[in-house]
C-alpha cells in the first residue's frame, strides 16, 4: 500500500501528499491535550482487548472456620470456595476530522504544516467526554452511555449522611478561635466516621485512602484551625489512619440524592477496588481518501468506572448550605 496520497487538481496536475503530514498533526495534538480531573483520581486499566464487546471475570467468595481442637470433629472440611461470574460491557465511541484537497495540496507545495485545530478539538472533546463518563457514565452530563457507571453512581451503595447534626459545614460558626477549632473538629469527625465505616465494611482489608470532595468545600478545607497554622485538610490527613489524599472535583456538586453534593471515598491504591477501564485511548484510525479530501476517523473503547470490591466505595451526601 502506498504511503502517500495522490491528488489531481482542477488543472489536471497530480500532487503527491506525504502521509507524514497527517502523522505530524496526530502526534502534535496528542501532546497538547490537557488531562481531565478524573485522571488525578482514578487509575486507568487498559488491559482488556479493544476489540472485545464485554469483559467477564471470576468473583471468588471464600469461607473458612477455626475452632478449638477439642471442638474439632472428623468432618473437618469446613472451608468452601464459591466462584461466580461477573462482568461489564465495553463501548466504542467515534469522532473524526478531515482535510480538504486544497489544504493538502497547499501543504505539499509550500512545506507548511496542516492546520491542527480540528484534530485538537476532537482530542480535547474526548478528554471532556471521558471526564463525564468517569463521573457518572454520561457522555455530556445527561446522555447515558449504555450501562456504564461512573464514580458517583454505582448501584447498590447507600449514601451516608455526612454530619450527625445534619448541618451544612458552611453553616457552622467560624468567628472566634474556639468556633474555628470546633468547626475543624466537626469536619474531622465527619470524615473519620467514613473511615470507620470503611474499616467495618471491608473488614479492614480494602480501606479508603482517597477523599473526592465537591469543589465547593475546597475553601472550607483550606481554612486554618483556630490555634496554629494547620489547615482543616492537613488535620484530616493527620488524624486519619488510611486517608492520604484529598481531591476536589466539581462533578460532585449535584450527584447526591435529590441533587445535593456528594462525597466519594475510594481505595485508589488497589485496582480491584477502583479503576477506570479504557482499553483504547483516543487514537486515529485508517485514513480514508475521498474525492473531496482525506477523512481521519478517531475512536476509543470505554468500560467506565469498575470495582470488584463494592464495599470499598463509600458515598456521603452533604446538606446544602442555607
Amino acid at each position: 500500500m502506498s504511503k502517500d496520497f495522490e491528488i489531481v487538481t482542477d488543472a489536471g496536475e497530480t500532487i503527491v501528499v506525504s502521509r507524514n503530514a497527517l502523522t505530524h498533526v496526530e502526534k502534535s495534538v496528542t501532546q497538547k491535550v490537557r488531562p481531565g480531573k478524573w485522571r488525578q483520581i482514578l487509575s486507568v486499566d487498559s488491559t482488556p482487548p479493544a476489540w472485545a464487546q464485554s469483559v467477564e471475570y471470576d468473583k471468588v467468595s471464600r469461607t473458612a472456620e477455626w475452632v478449638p481442637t477439642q471442638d474439632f470433629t472428623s468432618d473437618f472440611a469446613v472451608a468452601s470456595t464459591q466462584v461466580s461470574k461477573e462482568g461489564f460491557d465495553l463501548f466504542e465511541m467515534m469522532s473524526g476530522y478531515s482535510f480538504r484537497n486544497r489544504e493538502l495540496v497547499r501543504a505539499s507545495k509550500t512545506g507548511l504544516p496542516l492546520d491542527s485545530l480540528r484534530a485538537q478539538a476532537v482530542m480535547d472533546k474526548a478528554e471532556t467526554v471521558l471526564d463525564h463518563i468517569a463521573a457518572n457514565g454520561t457522555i455530556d452530563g445527561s446522555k447515558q452511555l449504555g450501562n456504564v457507571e461512573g464514580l458517583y453512581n454505582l448501584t447498590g451503595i447507600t449514601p451516608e449522611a455526612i454530619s450527625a447534626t445534619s448541618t451544612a459545614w458552611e453553616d457552622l460558626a467560624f468567628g472566634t478561635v474556639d468556633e474555628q477549632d470546633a468547626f475543624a473538629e466537626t469536619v474531622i469527625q465527619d470524615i473519620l466516621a467514613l473511615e470507620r465505616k470503611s474499616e467495618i465494611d471491608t473488614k479492614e482489608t480494602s480501606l479508603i485512602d482517597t477523599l473526592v470532595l465537591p469543589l465547593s468545600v475546597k475553601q472550607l478545607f483550606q481554612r486554618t484551625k483556630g490555634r496554629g497554622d494547620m489547615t482543616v485538610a492537613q488535620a484530616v490527613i493527620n488524624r486519619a489512619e488510611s486517608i492520604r489524599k484529598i481531591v476536589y472535583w466539581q462533578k460532585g456538586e449535584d450527584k447526591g440524592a435529590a441533587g445535593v453534593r456528594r462525597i466519594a471515598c475510594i481505595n485508589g491504591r488497589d485496582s480491584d477496588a477502583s479503576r477506570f477501564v479504557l482499553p483504547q485511548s483516543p487514537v486515529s484510525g485508517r485514513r480514508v481518501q475521498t474525492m473531496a479530501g482525506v477523512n481521519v476517523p478517531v475512536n476509543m473503547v470505554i468500560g467506565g468506572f469498575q470495582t470488584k470490591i463494592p464495599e470499598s466505595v463509600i458515598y456521603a451526601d452533604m446538606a446544602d448550605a442555607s
Side-chain angles (χ1 to χ4, degrees):
M1 180 184 296
S2 172
K3 294 183 178 180
D4 302 321
F5 296 106
E6 290 188 354
I7 298 174
V8 179
T9 66
D10 293 338
E13 181 183 8
T14 299
I15 304 295
V16 177
V17 180
S18 172
R19 289 175 180 258
N20 290 333
L22 278 75
T23 302
H24 172 75
V25 170
E26 295 161 9
K27 289 183 178 180
S28 65
V29 298
T30 300
Q31 295 170 354
K32 296 178 182 178
V33 174
R34 294 181 178 179
K37 190 61 175 284
W38 69 276
R39 293 186 184 272
Q40 299 179 26
I41 302 168
L42 303 173
S43 61
V44 175
D45 178 8
S46 58
T47 55
W51 47 261
Q53 294 183 331
S54 62
V55 175
E56 189 177 70
Y57 57 88
D58 291 334
K59 183 176 181 180
V60 181
S61 300
R62 298 171 294 179
T63 60
E65 183 179 359
W66 283 85
V67 298
T69 302
Q70 62 268 24
D71 297 333
F72 202 73
T73 66
S74 58
D75 184 14
F76 59 86
V78 293
S80 66
T81 301
Q82 292 182 339
V83 179
S84 59
K85 294 289 186 180
E86 294 197 4
F88 53 90
D89 294 330
L90 298 177
F91 293 86
E92 184 174 18
M93 300 187 68
M94 293 195 67
S95 184
Y97 54 94
S98 64
F99 294 104
R100 300 186 66 82
N101 283 335
R102 65 174 182 272
E103 298 176 87
L104 298 168
V105 170
R106 182 174 63 246
S108 178
K109 287 187 172 182
T110 64
L112 295 174
L114 290 165
D115 178 64
S116 63
L117 290 179
R118 279 160 288 180
Q120 190 69 56
V122 169
M123 302 303 288
D124 288 343
K125 183 62 176 181
E127 196 64 19
T128 300
V129 169
L130 289 172
D131 207 50
H132 281 301
I133 293 173
N136 61 349
T138 62
I139 298 173
D140 56 5
S142 60
K143 186 178 180 182
Q144 196 74 27
L145 178 63
N147 59 357
V148 170
E149 293 180 318
L151 173 62
Y152 290 108
N153 69 329
L154 288 181
T155 56
I157 298 179
T158 302
E160 300 297 306
I162 188 56
S163 175
T165 62
S166 299
T167 301
W169 288 336
E170 291 91 339
D171 294 336
L172 296 174
F174 196 78
T176 67
V177 171
D178 288 339
E179 288 173 342
Q180 292 169 14
D181 280 340
F183 168 85
E185 187 61 25
T186 297
V187 173
I188 292 169
Q189 290 301 324
D190 286 342
I191 298 302
L192 292 182
L194 301 178
E195 187 178 63
R196 287 192 295 272
K197 177 174 173 56
S198 173
E199 292 169 344
I200 294 170
D201 289 355
T202 69
K203 298 179 176 60
E204 300 180 280
T205 60
S206 185
L207 301 179
I208 59 173
D209 66 0
T210 302
L211 288 181
V212 187
L213 300 173
L215 183 60
S216 59
V217 306
K218 182 177 182 178
Q219 60 180 347
L220 303 180
F221 274 66
Q222 290 176 332
R223 290 176 173 177
T224 56
K225 299 181 64 177
R227 295 169 177 83
D229 58 0
M230 179 179 292
T231 65
V232 174
Q234 291 170 332
V236 167
I237 291 177
N238 283 349
R239 293 273 294 277
E241 292 188 4
S242 62
I243 297 170
R244 289 294 174 264
K245 182 178 181 180
I246 296 177
V247 184
Y248 307 96
W249 200 11
Q250 189 273 337
K251 290 288 193 293
E253 294 295 335
D254 59 355
K255 295 302 185 293
V260 301
R261 295 174 294 179
R262 171 164 288 181
I263 296 174
C265 312
I266 61 172
N267 179 351
R269 295 169 297 181
D270 185 353
S271 60
D272 281 347
S274 65
R275 68 196 192 282
F276 187 80
V277 179
L278 186 64
Q280 181 173 290
S281 296
V283 63
S284 299
R286 182 175 179 271
R287 303 147 186 159
V288 180
Q289 186 173 11
T290 67
M291 293 293 293
V294 174
N295 295 334
V296 184
V298 182
N299 75 318
M300 58 182 173
V301 180
I302 299 167
F305 177 75
Q306 298 293 335
T307 178
K308 296 180 182 179
I309 315 173
E311 60 271 21
S312 68
V313 180
I314 295 176
Y315 294 151
D317 288 354
M318 303 179 60
D320 286 329
S322 60

